[in-house]
Amino acid sequence: MGLPFLRSARRLLSAAGPAHGWLLVFCFVGFGFLLMRAGTKELPMQRVAITLVPSDAAQLACAWAGTIGGARCEYDASGEPDTEGSSTRLIPVMTLDRELLLVAGIFQTPALAAKLAEPGVVAEDKRLTVECTVKTAGTPRDVRTRFRRDAAWSAPERARAIEVVGCVVP
Amino acid sequence: MKAATNYDRPLFFACALCVVVGVWLRAQALEFPGVFTWDEHHFVENARNYLAHRPDLNDHPPLGKLMMAGALRALGDTAQAWRIVQLCFGLLLIPLVNRVAAWASGDTRVGWLAAAMVSLDGFFIAYSRAALLDGILVCMGVAAVWLACTARRTFQYVLAALVAGSACTVKFSGIAFLAPIVVLVVARRHWRGLLSLSAAPAVYFGWYSLGLWMARQPHSPRAVLTDTFRLYKHHANLTDWTHPYLSHWYEWFLPTHPIVMRSDVTPEGFLRVMSGVGNPALWWLVNVTVVATAISLGIAAWHWFLARPAAEGPAQGNSLRIAFLMLCFVTPILPWIFSNRDSYINHYLPAYVFGVIIAALALGQLFRSRPTTAFVLFLNVMLVGAFYSPVWGQLPITRTAMESRLILKKWR
């Protein structure tokens, strides 16, 4: 498979005569430009593996003044309960590779809701990995998070807000 | 030779393009991010300390931080000013490498190849964009080597010694550049030149003393010695091997643990990553050519030993130059082989720069016999460099695109 290609390439270079050096340069530069741009234009859907325990639904909270896809944190920027209406609340979750995400409605996704409805899953409160297809919605600044109701707020260096397209529980 | 001539202009164009892209990757968005990343705080904080006449709390000699203090004083305490000194040295490295390679080969084409390859390698790009000391050290080291190589008169050796001594005042490991220079001067039997190398310790004391004076500390030669021994003992005791980014010298050749110095997320969700991972095509070219050169030098030495020629021919002269570059490559690695000191991949940077020059020499040699192969090899290095450039210059990319470049988990 490789040999016919090499043969054609050699024939093409011979046909170019003394200019074949330039031909090579322009081919490589053109291809190099495309490679340099690869992955820098569109932001595709992305798969992330989120780690959760069922009791997180009641424990996780964030404090932030902004809105992502209509969802807000349970607390405002000063740490007071948020008074503006929001059908779903943003919560902080961690991916398996330790990235902090802000997400709304993950416990309501059909796959995770079905898993939590299985007998004993909520009672055992074992750690689950949920694989979700997500879109990035933004990188909020000055977010504070906590992973237990009785814990103090922490201010992470960075967090990414995502919108969930769909999840599976492997 | 005629076939090689056909490639000269395209090669020059491709090399110039690499240099332009390399300069742009180093210089663009230098101010981003406006916070310290990786080890930058050690050096910027202590540059500030010098300006405020407070003691330097960092464990390296003062010159690098003194230069950074000068930039802060001149340009203000901005993110750009923290990194401008490193950028200047990173840019200066490109013509210096060109000169050393041209000297060693006697071929301007090899000089261009070396300059292009250094331009388009993330190991050098990252250390030109971060407020760290390694880029300064390497540039000074190469400058000292170039000055010594081309020196004919005593004052030129003095100049080389001054630069090499200054490199030692950036980091102690600068001494690795001084050792080959001493060997070179002895091999040339230039005894005045050898004597003039005493300028190196003199300038070391001078810079160190200036640092102590700036910090309002005792700054006599005795104080310099005391502080040097204090730092030396501190470094000698760094043998815990607990930091997650540590790597042994033999891991550098793969490499197993290049360092991601920065990773930010844009509001649109793109990543802006700056990794110190080298250009993989060049990295492996360096590995192969260094081994091949060592073997061929060994064989040449054996033949020389058997034949014992009365006079030195031009071929031997060229071999001696390549042997000198090999010495420059090996010397910076030796301390990490013979000690148990914690080591990181940045300790390979002073050796790697000479590895790149050796690779350029080998490529130049290949150009004479198989010009198309050599040309395609070089273009391949350029192609891989283009692919990796987003993760060297913090260009926004998707996570998937980042992972397709930093293919090993330990690289991320």
Side-chain angles (χ1 to χ4, degrees), chain A residues 20-21 25 28 32 35-36 38-43 46 99 136 138-139 158, chain B residues 7 263 265-270 375 379 383 386 389-390 396-399 405:
Chain A
H20 69 277
V25 167
F28 273 80
L35 283 179
M36 196 172 172
T40 61
K41 291 290 270 183
E42 79 287 358
L43 198 63
Q46 186 200 346
E99 185 187 10
T136 299
T139 49
R158 66 176 71 99
Chain B
Y7 288 110
S263 181
V265 186
T266 68
E268 299 81 30
F270 288 105
F375 195 45
L379 290 176
L383 201 64
S389 52
I397 51 167
T398 62
R399 180 172 288 272
R405 286 159 173 91

PDB file of all heavy atoms in Angstrom, chain A residues 20-21 25 28 32 35-36 38-43 46 99 136 138-139 158, chain B residues 7 263 265-270 375 379 383 386 389-390 396-399 405:
ATOM      1  N   HIS A  20      11.546  20.470  -7.809  1.00  0.00           N
ATOM      2  CA  HIS A  20      10.878  19.524  -6.901  1.00  0.00           C
ATOM      3  C   HIS A  20      11.135  19.854  -5.421  1.00  0.00           C
ATOM      4  O   HIS A  20      10.344  19.513  -4.565  1.00  0.00           O
ATOM      5  CB  HIS A  20      11.230  18.079  -7.234  1.00  0.00           C
ATOM      6  CG  HIS A  20      12.646  17.708  -6.948  1.00  0.00           C
ATOM      7  ND1 HIS A  20      13.658  17.970  -7.828  1.00  0.00           N
ATOM      8  CD2 HIS A  20      13.195  17.094  -5.890  1.00  0.00           C
ATOM      9  CE1 HIS A  20      14.789  17.517  -7.314  1.00  0.00           C
ATOM     10  NE2 HIS A  20      14.532  16.990  -6.128  1.00  0.00           N
ATOM     11  N   GLY A  21      12.246  20.544  -5.159  1.00  0.00           N
ATOM     12  CA  GLY A  21      12.502  20.996  -3.776  1.00  0.00           C
ATOM     13  C   GLY A  21      11.398  21.940  -3.312  1.00  0.00           C
ATOM     14  O   GLY A  21      10.871  21.801  -2.211  1.00  0.00           O
ATOM     15  N   VAL A  25       8.532  21.561  -0.353  1.00  0.00           N
ATOM     16  CA  VAL A  25       8.353  22.574   0.696  1.00  0.00           C
ATOM     17  C   VAL A  25       6.899  23.024   0.763  1.00  0.00           C
ATOM     18  O   VAL A  25       6.299  23.057   1.845  1.00  0.00           O
ATOM     19  CB  VAL A  25       9.268  23.795   0.450  1.00  0.00           C
ATOM     20  CG1 VAL A  25       8.853  24.959   1.329  1.00  0.00           C
ATOM     21  CG2 VAL A  25      10.703  23.444   0.738  1.00  0.00           C
ATOM     22  N   PHE A  28       4.635  20.303   2.260  1.00  0.00           N
ATOM     23  CA  PHE A  28       4.813  20.152   3.711  1.00  0.00           C
ATOM     24  C   PHE A  28       4.310  21.379   4.460  1.00  0.00           C
ATOM     25  O   PHE A  28       3.717  21.250   5.527  1.00  0.00           O
ATOM     26  CB  PHE A  28       6.288  19.886   4.046  1.00  0.00           C
ATOM     27  CG  PHE A  28       6.658  18.438   3.999  1.00  0.00           C
ATOM     28  CD1 PHE A  28       6.913  17.808   2.801  1.00  0.00           C
ATOM     29  CD2 PHE A  28       6.748  17.695   5.161  1.00  0.00           C
ATOM     30  CE1 PHE A  28       7.251  16.467   2.747  1.00  0.00           C
ATOM     31  CE2 PHE A  28       7.085  16.349   5.127  1.00  0.00           C
ATOM     32  CZ  PHE A  28       7.341  15.735   3.911  1.00  0.00           C
ATOM     33  N   GLY A  32       1.454  21.235   7.030  1.00  0.00           N
ATOM     34  CA  GLY A  32       1.816  21.702   8.372  1.00  0.00           C
ATOM     35  C   GLY A  32       0.847  22.753   8.868  1.00  0.00           C
ATOM     36  O   GLY A  32       0.455  22.747  10.044  1.00  0.00           O
ATOM     37  N   LEU A  35      -2.218  21.011   9.976  1.00  0.00           N
ATOM     38  CA  LEU A  35      -1.992  20.317  11.252  1.00  0.00           C
ATOM     39  C   LEU A  35      -1.974  21.302  12.418  1.00  0.00           C
ATOM     40  O   LEU A  35      -2.485  21.032  13.499  1.00  0.00           O
ATOM     41  CB  LEU A  35      -0.659  19.564  11.215  1.00  0.00           C
ATOM     42  CG  LEU A  35      -0.635  18.253  10.447  1.00  0.00           C
ATOM     43  CD1 LEU A  35       0.761  17.658  10.484  1.00  0.00           C
ATOM     44  CD2 LEU A  35      -1.622  17.267  11.043  1.00  0.00           C
ATOM     45  N   MET A  36      -1.361  22.466  12.170  1.00  0.00           N
ATOM     46  CA  MET A  36      -1.277  23.485  13.218  1.00  0.00           C
ATOM     47  C   MET A  36      -2.679  23.944  13.623  1.00  0.00           C
ATOM     48  O   MET A  36      -2.950  24.212  14.788  1.00  0.00           O
ATOM     49  CB  MET A  36      -0.471  24.666  12.676  1.00  0.00           C
ATOM     50  CG  MET A  36       0.020  25.625  13.708  1.00  0.00           C
ATOM     51  SD  MET A  36       1.131  26.784  12.871  1.00  0.00           S
ATOM     52  CE  MET A  36       1.400  27.957  14.167  1.00  0.00           C
ATOM     53  N   ALA A  38      -5.366  22.130  13.340  1.00  0.00           N
ATOM     54  CA  ALA A  38      -6.233  21.013  13.741  1.00  0.00           C
ATOM     55  C   ALA A  38      -6.628  21.163  15.206  1.00  0.00           C
ATOM     56  O   ALA A  38      -5.779  21.269  16.077  1.00  0.00           O
ATOM     57  CB  ALA A  38      -5.503  19.691  13.513  1.00  0.00           C
ATOM     58  N   GLY A  39      -7.915  21.179  15.449  1.00  0.00           N
ATOM     59  CA  GLY A  39      -8.407  21.244  16.821  1.00  0.00           C
ATOM     60  C   GLY A  39      -8.439  22.643  17.394  1.00  0.00           C
ATOM     61  O   GLY A  39      -8.639  22.820  18.593  1.00  0.00           O
ATOM     62  N   THR A  40      -8.228  23.649  16.559  1.00  0.00           N
ATOM     63  CA  THR A  40      -8.235  25.013  17.099  1.00  0.00           C
ATOM     64  C   THR A  40      -9.488  25.785  16.666  1.00  0.00           C
ATOM     65  O   THR A  40      -9.679  26.911  17.077  1.00  0.00           O
ATOM     66  CB  THR A  40      -7.001  25.808  16.619  1.00  0.00           C
ATOM     67  OG1 THR A  40      -7.065  25.885  15.186  1.00  0.00           O
ATOM     68  CG2 THR A  40      -5.715  25.148  17.019  1.00  0.00           C
ATOM     69  N   LYS A  41     -10.321  25.195  15.811  1.00  0.00           N
ATOM     70  CA  LYS A  41     -11.460  25.944  15.291  1.00  0.00           C
ATOM     71  C   LYS A  41     -12.757  25.633  16.052  1.00  0.00           C
ATOM     72  O   LYS A  41     -13.162  26.388  16.917  1.00  0.00           O
ATOM     73  CB  LYS A  41     -11.647  25.634  13.792  1.00  0.00           C
ATOM     74  CG  LYS A  41     -10.545  26.204  12.932  1.00  0.00           C
ATOM     75  CD  LYS A  41     -10.620  27.705  12.857  1.00  0.00           C
ATOM     76  CE  LYS A  41     -11.495  28.146  11.683  1.00  0.00           C
ATOM     77  NZ  LYS A  41     -11.504  29.609  11.570  1.00  0.00           N
ATOM     78  N   GLU A  42     -13.335  24.505  15.733  1.00  0.00           N
ATOM     79  CA  GLU A  42     -14.643  24.219  16.326  1.00  0.00           C
ATOM     80  C   GLU A  42     -14.478  23.449  17.636  1.00  0.00           C
ATOM     81  O   GLU A  42     -13.499  22.738  17.839  1.00  0.00           O
ATOM     82  CB  GLU A  42     -15.535  23.454  15.339  1.00  0.00           C
ATOM     83  CG  GLU A  42     -15.269  21.979  15.212  1.00  0.00           C
ATOM     84  CD  GLU A  42     -13.976  21.682  14.458  1.00  0.00           C
ATOM     85  OE1 GLU A  42     -13.303  22.616  13.992  1.00  0.00           O
ATOM     86  OE2 GLU A  42     -13.647  20.505  14.356  1.00  0.00           O
ATOM     87  N   LEU A  43     -15.421  23.638  18.488  1.00  0.00           N
ATOM     88  CA  LEU A  43     -15.383  22.951  19.776  1.00  0.00           C
ATOM     89  C   LEU A  43     -16.393  21.805  19.729  1.00  0.00           C
ATOM     90  O   LEU A  43     -17.598  22.044  19.806  1.00  0.00           O
ATOM     91  CB  LEU A  43     -15.750  23.941  20.873  1.00  0.00           C
ATOM     92  CG  LEU A  43     -15.360  23.558  22.275  1.00  0.00           C
ATOM     93  CD1 LEU A  43     -13.861  23.445  22.401  1.00  0.00           C
ATOM     94  CD2 LEU A  43     -15.889  24.570  23.248  1.00  0.00           C
ATOM     95  N   GLN A  46     -17.876  16.663  23.726  1.00  0.00           N
ATOM     96  CA  GLN A  46     -16.763  16.006  24.401  1.00  0.00           C
ATOM     97  C   GLN A  46     -17.318  14.988  25.380  1.00  0.00           C
ATOM     98  O   GLN A  46     -18.398  15.195  25.950  1.00  0.00           O
ATOM     99  CB  GLN A  46     -15.987  17.097  25.143  1.00  0.00           C
ATOM    100  CG  GLN A  46     -14.731  16.645  25.777  1.00  0.00           C
ATOM    101  CD  GLN A  46     -14.287  17.615  26.863  1.00  0.00           C
ATOM    102  OE1 GLN A  46     -14.783  18.726  26.957  1.00  0.00           O
ATOM    103  NE2 GLN A  46     -13.380  17.172  27.693  1.00  0.00           N
ATOM    104  N   GLU A  99     -10.869  17.242  36.941  1.00  0.00           N
ATOM    105  CA  GLU A  99     -11.292  18.563  36.489  1.00  0.00           C
ATOM    106  C   GLU A  99     -12.601  18.918  37.187  1.00  0.00           C
ATOM    107  O   GLU A  99     -13.503  18.075  37.299  1.00  0.00           O
ATOM    108  CB  GLU A  99     -11.485  18.569  34.961  1.00  0.00           C
ATOM    109  CG  GLU A  99     -11.818  19.975  34.461  1.00  0.00           C
ATOM    110  CD  GLU A  99     -12.192  20.026  32.981  1.00  0.00           C
ATOM    111  OE1 GLU A  99     -12.381  18.954  32.370  1.00  0.00           O
ATOM    112  OE2 GLU A  99     -12.332  21.154  32.466  1.00  0.00           O
ATOM    113  N   THR A 136     -19.166  22.608  26.386  1.00  0.00           N
ATOM    114  CA  THR A 136     -18.705  23.618  27.340  1.00  0.00           C
ATOM    115  C   THR A 136     -19.570  24.862  27.215  1.00  0.00           C
ATOM    116  O   THR A 136     -19.835  25.338  26.111  1.00  0.00           O
ATOM    117  CB  THR A 136     -17.235  23.973  27.057  1.00  0.00           C
ATOM    118  OG1 THR A 136     -16.467  22.785  27.215  1.00  0.00           O
ATOM    119  CG2 THR A 136     -16.725  25.020  28.021  1.00  0.00           C
ATOM    120  N   GLY A 138     -18.984  27.625  29.452  1.00  0.00           N
ATOM    121  CA  GLY A 138     -18.240  28.794  29.921  1.00  0.00           C
ATOM    122  C   GLY A 138     -17.271  28.434  31.025  1.00  0.00           C
ATOM    123  O   GLY A 138     -17.217  27.282  31.474  1.00  0.00           O
ATOM    124  N   THR A 139     -16.486  29.420  31.410  1.00  0.00           N
ATOM    125  CA  THR A 139     -15.556  29.209  32.527  1.00  0.00           C
ATOM    126  C   THR A 139     -15.802  30.300  33.565  1.00  0.00           C
ATOM    127  O   THR A 139     -15.185  31.355  33.521  1.00  0.00           O
ATOM    128  CB  THR A 139     -14.100  29.276  32.054  1.00  0.00           C
ATOM    129  OG1 THR A 139     -13.947  30.458  31.276  1.00  0.00           O
ATOM    130  CG2 THR A 139     -13.709  28.079  31.240  1.00  0.00           C
ATOM    131  N   ARG A 158      -9.893  27.142  38.981  1.00  0.00           N
ATOM    132  CA  ARG A 158     -10.650  27.183  37.730  1.00  0.00           C
ATOM    133  C   ARG A 158     -11.767  26.143  37.765  1.00  0.00           C
ATOM    134  O   ARG A 158     -11.647  25.111  38.442  1.00  0.00           O
ATOM    135  CB  ARG A 158      -9.734  26.954  36.533  1.00  0.00           C
ATOM    136  CG  ARG A 158      -9.126  25.604  36.435  1.00  0.00           C
ATOM    137  CD  ARG A 158      -8.324  25.491  35.149  1.00  0.00           C
ATOM    138  NE  ARG A 158      -7.104  26.279  35.209  1.00  0.00           N
ATOM    139  CZ  ARG A 158      -5.913  25.776  35.484  1.00  0.00           C
ATOM    140  NH1 ARG A 158      -5.797  24.496  35.742  1.00  0.00           N
ATOM    141  NH2 ARG A 158      -4.848  26.532  35.510  1.00  0.00           N
TER     142      ARG A 158
ATOM    143  N   TYR B   7      18.281  21.904  -3.716  1.00  0.00           N
ATOM    144  CA  TYR B   7      17.500  22.064  -2.499  1.00  0.00           C
ATOM    145  C   TYR B   7      17.875  23.310  -1.702  1.00  0.00           C
ATOM    146  O   TYR B   7      17.221  23.629  -0.728  1.00  0.00           O
ATOM    147  CB  TYR B   7      17.670  20.837  -1.590  1.00  0.00           C
ATOM    148  CG  TYR B   7      16.963  19.618  -2.109  1.00  0.00           C
ATOM    149  CD1 TYR B   7      17.672  18.543  -2.601  1.00  0.00           C
ATOM    150  CD2 TYR B   7      15.569  19.558  -2.111  1.00  0.00           C
ATOM    151  CE1 TYR B   7      17.022  17.424  -3.077  1.00  0.00           C
ATOM    152  CE2 TYR B   7      14.911  18.441  -2.593  1.00  0.00           C
ATOM    153  CZ  TYR B   7      15.644  17.382  -3.070  1.00  0.00           C
ATOM    154  OH  TYR B   7      14.998  16.289  -3.545  1.00  0.00           O
ATOM    155  N   SER B 263      -1.850  25.579  32.022  1.00  0.00           N
ATOM    156  CA  SER B 263      -3.060  25.048  31.403  1.00  0.00           C
ATOM    157  C   SER B 263      -4.220  25.934  31.831  1.00  0.00           C
ATOM    158  O   SER B 263      -4.550  25.997  33.008  1.00  0.00           O
ATOM    159  CB  SER B 263      -3.278  23.600  31.837  1.00  0.00           C
ATOM    160  OG  SER B 263      -4.429  23.094  31.210  1.00  0.00           O
ATOM    161  N   VAL B 265      -8.254  27.589  30.652  1.00  0.00           N
ATOM    162  CA  VAL B 265      -9.437  27.348  29.836  1.00  0.00           C
ATOM    163  C   VAL B 265      -9.984  28.699  29.403  1.00  0.00           C
ATOM    164  O   VAL B 265     -10.132  29.603  30.225  1.00  0.00           O
ATOM    165  CB  VAL B 265     -10.508  26.574  30.630  1.00  0.00           C
ATOM    166  CG1 VAL B 265     -11.670  26.197  29.723  1.00  0.00           C
ATOM    167  CG2 VAL B 265      -9.914  25.344  31.274  1.00  0.00           C
ATOM    168  N   THR B 266     -10.275  28.845  28.115  1.00  0.00           N
ATOM    169  CA  THR B 266     -10.837  30.115  27.638  1.00  0.00           C
ATOM    170  C   THR B 266     -12.337  30.138  27.936  1.00  0.00           C
ATOM    171  O   THR B 266     -12.934  29.079  28.200  1.00  0.00           O
ATOM    172  CB  THR B 266     -10.648  30.265  26.114  1.00  0.00           C
ATOM    173  OG1 THR B 266     -11.482  29.293  25.465  1.00  0.00           O
ATOM    174  CG2 THR B 266      -9.212  30.060  25.703  1.00  0.00           C
ATOM    175  N   PRO B 267     -12.993  31.308  27.895  1.00  0.00           N
ATOM    176  CA  PRO B 267     -14.440  31.362  28.134  1.00  0.00           C
ATOM    177  C   PRO B 267     -15.219  30.457  27.176  1.00  0.00           C
ATOM    178  O   PRO B 267     -16.293  29.996  27.503  1.00  0.00           O
ATOM    179  CB  PRO B 267     -14.781  32.835  27.896  1.00  0.00           C
ATOM    180  CG  PRO B 267     -13.516  33.553  28.159  1.00  0.00           C
ATOM    181  CD  PRO B 267     -12.411  32.642  27.730  1.00  0.00           C
ATOM    182  N   GLU B 268     -14.649  30.194  25.997  1.00  0.00           N
ATOM    183  CA  GLU B 268     -15.348  29.326  25.041  1.00  0.00           C
ATOM    184  C   GLU B 268     -15.095  27.848  25.331  1.00  0.00           C
ATOM    185  O   GLU B 268     -15.651  26.986  24.659  1.00  0.00           O
ATOM    186  CB  GLU B 268     -14.883  29.620  23.607  1.00  0.00           C
ATOM    187  CG  GLU B 268     -15.150  31.031  23.134  1.00  0.00           C
ATOM    188  CD  GLU B 268     -14.100  32.006  23.648  1.00  0.00           C
ATOM    189  OE1 GLU B 268     -12.953  31.585  23.840  1.00  0.00           O
ATOM    190  OE2 GLU B 268     -14.442  33.183  23.875  1.00  0.00           O
ATOM    191  N   GLY B 269     -14.224  27.566  26.298  1.00  0.00           N
ATOM    192  CA  GLY B 269     -13.959  26.181  26.649  1.00  0.00           C
ATOM    193  C   GLY B 269     -12.739  25.584  25.982  1.00  0.00           C
ATOM    194  O   GLY B 269     -12.453  24.401  26.131  1.00  0.00           O
ATOM    195  N   PHE B 270     -11.988  26.378  25.222  1.00  0.00           N
ATOM    196  CA  PHE B 270     -10.743  25.872  24.645  1.00  0.00           C
ATOM    197  C   PHE B 270      -9.665  25.832  25.731  1.00  0.00           C
ATOM    198  O   PHE B 270      -9.713  26.608  26.688  1.00  0.00           O
ATOM    199  CB  PHE B 270     -10.256  26.789  23.516  1.00  0.00           C
ATOM    200  CG  PHE B 270     -11.075  26.703  22.263  1.00  0.00           C
ATOM    201  CD1 PHE B 270     -11.960  27.711  21.927  1.00  0.00           C
ATOM    202  CD2 PHE B 270     -10.946  25.616  21.417  1.00  0.00           C
ATOM    203  CE1 PHE B 270     -12.717  27.632  20.765  1.00  0.00           C
ATOM    204  CE2 PHE B 270     -11.694  25.535  20.249  1.00  0.00           C
ATOM    205  CZ  PHE B 270     -12.579  26.545  19.922  1.00  0.00           C
ATOM    206  N   PHE B 375      16.299  16.122   3.070  1.00  0.00           N
ATOM    207  CA  PHE B 375      15.343  17.219   2.972  1.00  0.00           C
ATOM    208  C   PHE B 375      13.989  16.808   3.544  1.00  0.00           C
ATOM    209  O   PHE B 375      13.366  17.558   4.312  1.00  0.00           O
ATOM    210  CB  PHE B 375      15.222  17.644   1.504  1.00  0.00           C
ATOM    211  CG  PHE B 375      14.552  18.963   1.320  1.00  0.00           C
ATOM    212  CD1 PHE B 375      14.880  20.056   2.104  1.00  0.00           C
ATOM    213  CD2 PHE B 375      13.572  19.124   0.347  1.00  0.00           C
ATOM    214  CE1 PHE B 375      14.256  21.278   1.924  1.00  0.00           C
ATOM    215  CE2 PHE B 375      12.949  20.348   0.165  1.00  0.00           C
ATOM    216  CZ  PHE B 375      13.289  21.420   0.954  1.00  0.00           C
ATOM    217  N   LEU B 379      11.936  18.319   6.658  1.00  0.00           N
ATOM    218  CA  LEU B 379      10.554  18.809   6.509  1.00  0.00           C
ATOM    219  C   LEU B 379       9.621  18.077   7.476  1.00  0.00           C
ATOM    220  O   LEU B 379       8.643  18.641   7.969  1.00  0.00           O
ATOM    221  CB  LEU B 379      10.082  18.627   5.066  1.00  0.00           C
ATOM    222  CG  LEU B 379      10.746  19.546   4.039  1.00  0.00           C
ATOM    223  CD1 LEU B 379      10.284  19.206   2.638  1.00  0.00           C
ATOM    224  CD2 LEU B 379      10.450  21.020   4.333  1.00  0.00           C
ATOM    225  N   LEU B 383       7.088  19.587  10.082  1.00  0.00           N
ATOM    226  CA  LEU B 383       5.670  19.196  10.099  1.00  0.00           C
ATOM    227  C   LEU B 383       5.220  18.861  11.528  1.00  0.00           C
ATOM    228  O   LEU B 383       4.169  19.326  11.990  1.00  0.00           O
ATOM    229  CB  LEU B 383       5.505  17.970   9.197  1.00  0.00           C
ATOM    230  CG  LEU B 383       4.132  17.667   8.660  1.00  0.00           C
ATOM    231  CD1 LEU B 383       3.673  18.781   7.752  1.00  0.00           C
ATOM    232  CD2 LEU B 383       4.156  16.351   7.879  1.00  0.00           C
ATOM    233  N   ALA B 386       4.909  21.946  13.516  1.00  0.00           N
ATOM    234  CA  ALA B 386       3.663  22.679  13.240  1.00  0.00           C
ATOM    235  C   ALA B 386       2.506  22.055  14.016  1.00  0.00           C
ATOM    236  O   ALA B 386       1.675  22.758  14.596  1.00  0.00           O
ATOM    237  CB  ALA B 386       3.379  22.660  11.748  1.00  0.00           C
ATOM    238  N   SER B 389       2.831  22.959  17.731  1.00  0.00           N
ATOM    239  CA  SER B 389       2.975  24.362  18.130  1.00  0.00           C
ATOM    240  C   SER B 389       1.847  24.902  19.017  1.00  0.00           C
ATOM    241  O   SER B 389       2.119  25.721  19.901  1.00  0.00           O
ATOM    242  CB  SER B 389       3.180  25.246  16.902  1.00  0.00           C
ATOM    243  OG  SER B 389       2.186  25.008  15.965  1.00  0.00           O
ATOM    244  N   PRO B 390       0.572  24.456  18.865  1.00  0.00           N
ATOM    245  CA  PRO B 390      -0.448  24.976  19.782  1.00  0.00           C
ATOM    246  C   PRO B 390      -0.166  24.666  21.262  1.00  0.00           C
ATOM    247  O   PRO B 390      -0.498  25.485  22.125  1.00  0.00           O
ATOM    248  CB  PRO B 390      -1.732  24.287  19.319  1.00  0.00           C
ATOM    249  CG  PRO B 390      -1.501  23.964  17.896  1.00  0.00           C
ATOM    250  CD  PRO B 390      -0.041  23.636  17.808  1.00  0.00           C
ATOM    251  N   PRO B 396      -5.245  28.429  21.545  1.00  0.00           N
ATOM    252  CA  PRO B 396      -6.452  27.738  22.016  1.00  0.00           C
ATOM    253  C   PRO B 396      -6.745  26.475  21.199  1.00  0.00           C
ATOM    254  O   PRO B 396      -6.794  26.536  19.974  1.00  0.00           O
ATOM    255  CB  PRO B 396      -7.557  28.786  21.815  1.00  0.00           C
ATOM    256  CG  PRO B 396      -6.851  30.090  21.689  1.00  0.00           C
ATOM    257  CD  PRO B 396      -5.526  29.790  21.072  1.00  0.00           C
ATOM    258  N   ILE B 397      -6.909  25.369  21.896  1.00  0.00           N
ATOM    259  CA  ILE B 397      -7.262  24.107  21.227  1.00  0.00           C
ATOM    260  C   ILE B 397      -8.261  23.350  22.082  1.00  0.00           C
ATOM    261  O   ILE B 397      -8.408  23.626  23.278  1.00  0.00           O
ATOM    262  CB  ILE B 397      -6.042  23.183  20.973  1.00  0.00           C
ATOM    263  CG1 ILE B 397      -5.231  22.984  22.252  1.00  0.00           C
ATOM    264  CG2 ILE B 397      -5.184  23.672  19.855  1.00  0.00           C
ATOM    265  CD1 ILE B 397      -4.226  21.856  22.122  1.00  0.00           C
ATOM    266  N   THR B 398      -8.914  22.382  21.477  1.00  0.00           N
ATOM    267  CA  THR B 398      -9.860  21.560  22.232  1.00  0.00           C
ATOM    268  C   THR B 398      -9.086  20.553  23.081  1.00  0.00           C
ATOM    269  O   THR B 398      -7.905  20.282  22.817  1.00  0.00           O
ATOM    270  CB  THR B 398     -10.782  20.787  21.283  1.00  0.00           C
ATOM    271  OG1 THR B 398      -9.975  19.921  20.494  1.00  0.00           O
ATOM    272  CG2 THR B 398     -11.557  21.728  20.374  1.00  0.00           C
ATOM    273  N   ARG B 399      -9.789  20.002  24.045  1.00  0.00           N
ATOM    274  CA  ARG B 399      -9.145  18.989  24.902  1.00  0.00           C
ATOM    275  C   ARG B 399      -8.694  17.789  24.069  1.00  0.00           C
ATOM    276  O   ARG B 399      -7.604  17.256  24.262  1.00  0.00           O
ATOM    277  CB  ARG B 399     -10.113  18.565  26.005  1.00  0.00           C
ATOM    278  CG  ARG B 399      -9.556  17.516  26.962  1.00  0.00           C
ATOM    279  CD  ARG B 399     -10.495  17.302  28.107  1.00  0.00           C
ATOM    280  NE  ARG B 399     -10.485  18.443  29.011  1.00  0.00           N
ATOM    281  CZ  ARG B 399      -9.633  18.589  30.034  1.00  0.00           C
ATOM    282  NH1 ARG B 399      -8.749  17.668  30.285  1.00  0.00           N
ATOM    283  NH2 ARG B 399      -9.682  19.654  30.795  1.00  0.00           N
ATOM    284  N   ARG B 405      -1.947  15.486  20.915  1.00  0.00           N
ATOM    285  CA  ARG B 405      -0.544  15.927  20.855  1.00  0.00           C
ATOM    286  C   ARG B 405       0.235  15.393  22.061  1.00  0.00           C
ATOM    287  O   ARG B 405       1.311  14.822  21.897  1.00  0.00           O
ATOM    288  CB  ARG B 405      -0.485  17.449  20.802  1.00  0.00           C
ATOM    289  CG  ARG B 405      -0.892  18.008  19.440  1.00  0.00           C
ATOM    290  CD  ARG B 405      -1.323  19.447  19.516  1.00  0.00           C
ATOM    291  NE  ARG B 405      -1.547  20.038  18.209  1.00  0.00           N
ATOM    292  CZ  ARG B 405      -2.712  20.048  17.577  1.00  0.00           C
ATOM    293  NH1 ARG B 405      -3.773  19.484  18.129  1.00  0.00           N
ATOM    294  NH2 ARG B 405      -2.832  20.619  16.395  1.00  0.00           N
TER     295      ARG B 405
END
